[in-house]
Structure formats: structure tokens, C-alpha cells
């Protein structure tokens, strides 16, 4: 819960920056510090002890390594977030908001809550929701790897899930109800399959 002051440059080749609550017993809101084109290597949102605080973006965020939300709330607050490595929610809350969230190393939700907003959530890798609550965006959820919502409380929301990989993808339905699904795999012939595991219930369009 401390404020970074008099820090003009941050090494983004290695290391981890951890944001924790201030422990004052009140749910406060803090703005995550912006350091330029690339902001952090590894970024962790962690409650520590005390009342959960909210850590929101004031500008576009770029994480060169991994991003983890373990406690508290990460709020994209209408800004883009691009994570090069794996993004993980294993507690706390991730609010995707209205701007695009890009996870180039995949997205894993094992506990806590991931809430998509009206902006695109682009997962360039596997999307695994093994626990907690996962709400897809009302816009578009793009997945280029395998999609497995087994174990989570899942809501398709009103948006579209697009499978846009370049090789075979596995879609484990987990008896969930989906709204719109678009199959746009661009792999070579014989490597462009969407392999569906389980019954598929689509209430909207399947294209």
C-alpha cells in the first residue's frame, strides 16, 4: 500500500514488483505506477493482511514477464493490459473493464474472480479456469490455445468466444452454456481442428 516516489526508471529485465494493501482497515484505491512502454517484469497484486484494497490502472500497462493476482482487486479501469508471460488469478479479483486485455502467455484462474467487461480479452495460449469464478467479456474472448473451464463457476456473458489458433485446439465444455462461438483456426490442413470434449450447448450462433 505504499506509493512509489522518486522512481523514474524501473528494471524490466528481471525481478518482481508486489503491490500490497496498506493495512489501515479501509478498502482504499491506489493507482499502479506507469513506467513507460514496458512497466514491469513480474507484477503481483497481493493483499498481505488487512482489508482488501483496489489497485487500478491510470495508463496502459505492459508486463514483460508474468502477472499474478492473489488477493485484493486489480482493475484495468478502461486501460489496456498486455502480459508477455502467464497471467494467473489465484485469489482476489481481476476486473478487465472496457479496454483490451492481452495475455500472450495464457491465462489461468484457479481461485478468485476474473470478470470480463465490454473489451476484448485476447488469450494467446491456453485458458484454464480450474476454480473460482470466470465471467467472459460481453465483447469477444479470443483463445488461440486450449480452453478448459472445468472447475470454475463460468458465465459466457453475452459475448462471443473465438477460437483463433494456428494448430489444433481442445475445447473442454464442462457442460456449460455458451452464447456465441466462432471457429477461426488458421492452421494448415490437418492441424486446424477444434476438438470438442463434452456436450456443447450454444444458445446463440455457432460460426
Amino acid at each position: 500500500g505504499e506509493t512509489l516516489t522518486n522512481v523514474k526508471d524501473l528494471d524490466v529485465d528481471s525481478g518482481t514488483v508486489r503491490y500490497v494493501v496498506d493495512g489501515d482497515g479501509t478498502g482504499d484505491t491506489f493507482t499502479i505506477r506507469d513506467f513507460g512502454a514496458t512497466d514491469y517484469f513480474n507484477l503481483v497484486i497481493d493483499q498481505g493482511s488487512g482489508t482488501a484494497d483496489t489497485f487500478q490502472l491510470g495508463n496502459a500497462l505492459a508486463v514483460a514477464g508474468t502477472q499474478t493476482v492473489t488477493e485484493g482487486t486489480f482493475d484495468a479501469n478502461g486501460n489496456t493490459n498486455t502480459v508477455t508471460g502467464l497471467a494467473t488469478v489465484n485469489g482476489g479479483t481481476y476486473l478487465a473493464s472496457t479496454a483490451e486485455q492481452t495475455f500472450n502467455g495464457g491465462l489461468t484462474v484457479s481461485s478468485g474472480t476474473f470478470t470480463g467487461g465490454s473489451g476484448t480479452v485476447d488469450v494467446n495460449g491456453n485458458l484454464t479456469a480450474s476454480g473460482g469464478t470466470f465471467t467472459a467479456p460481453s465483447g469477444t474472448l479470443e483463445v488461440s490455445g486450449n480452453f478448459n473451464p472445468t472447475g470454475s463457476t463460468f458465465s459466457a456473458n453475452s459475448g462471443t468466444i473465438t477460437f483463433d489458433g494456428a494448430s489444433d485446439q481442445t475445447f473442454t465444455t464442462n457442460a456449460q452454456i455458451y452464447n456465441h462461438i466462432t471457429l477461426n483456426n488458421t492452421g494448415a490442413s490437418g492441424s486446424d481442428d477444434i476438438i470438442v470434449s463434452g456436450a456443447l450447448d450454444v444458445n446463440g450462433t455457432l460460426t
Side-chain angles (χ1 to χ4, degrees):
E2 297 298 325
T3 302
L4 286 175
T5 57
N6 300 320
V7 178
K8 296 181 180 180
D9 296 296
L10 192 68
D11 183 4
V12 294
D13 295 325
S14 62
T16 299
V17 172
R18 184 182 304 269
Y19 283 81
V20 299
V21 301
D22 60 3
D24 66 356
T26 302
D28 299 312
T29 299
F30 299 97
T31 299
I32 293 175
R33 180 72 182 271
D34 175 47
F35 287 99
T38 302
D39 299 294
Y40 302 91
F41 187 71
N42 296 324
L43 177 64
V44 176
I45 306 300
D46 188 5
Q47 177 176 328
S49 60
T51 302
D53 290 330
T54 295
F55 300 91
Q56 68 179 15
L57 297 183
N59 298 94
L61 180 68
V63 179
T66 63
Q67 180 177 356
T68 305
V69 178
T70 60
E71 293 290 349
T73 296
F74 172 86
D75 184 358
N77 192 35
N79 294 280
T80 60
N81 181 25
T82 303
V83 183
T84 300
L86 178 65
T88 302
V89 179
N90 57 18
T93 300
Y94 188 116
L95 300 177
S97 191
T98 58
E100 183 166 355
Q101 310 294 291
T102 303
F103 305 115
N104 289 324
L107 172 63
T108 295
V109 180
S110 58
S111 64
T113 301
F114 182 95
T115 303
S118 59
T120 296
V121 175
D122 185 8
V123 182
N124 294 308
N126 297 328
L127 198 170
T128 302
S130 60
T133 300
F134 184 92
T135 301
S138 59
T140 302
L141 171 62
E142 299 174 347
V143 183
S144 70
N146 300 327
F147 179 31
N148 184 354
T150 302
S152 70
T153 300
F154 176 83
S155 171
N157 209 333
S158 59
T160 299
I161 299 175
T162 298
F163 291 87
D164 61 354
S167 60
D168 291 345
Q169 297 177 255
T170 298
F171 176 21
T172 304
T173 64
N174 194 34
Q176 304 285 359
I177 298 174
Y178 298 89
N179 190 38
H180 305 300
I181 292 180
T182 298
L183 309 180
N184 190 32
N185 189 292
T186 59
S189 178
S191 299
D192 58 350
D193 295 333
I194 309 296
I195 303 164
V196 178
S197 176
L200 180 58
D201 186 350
V202 181
N203 281 354
T205 59
L206 175 61
T207 57

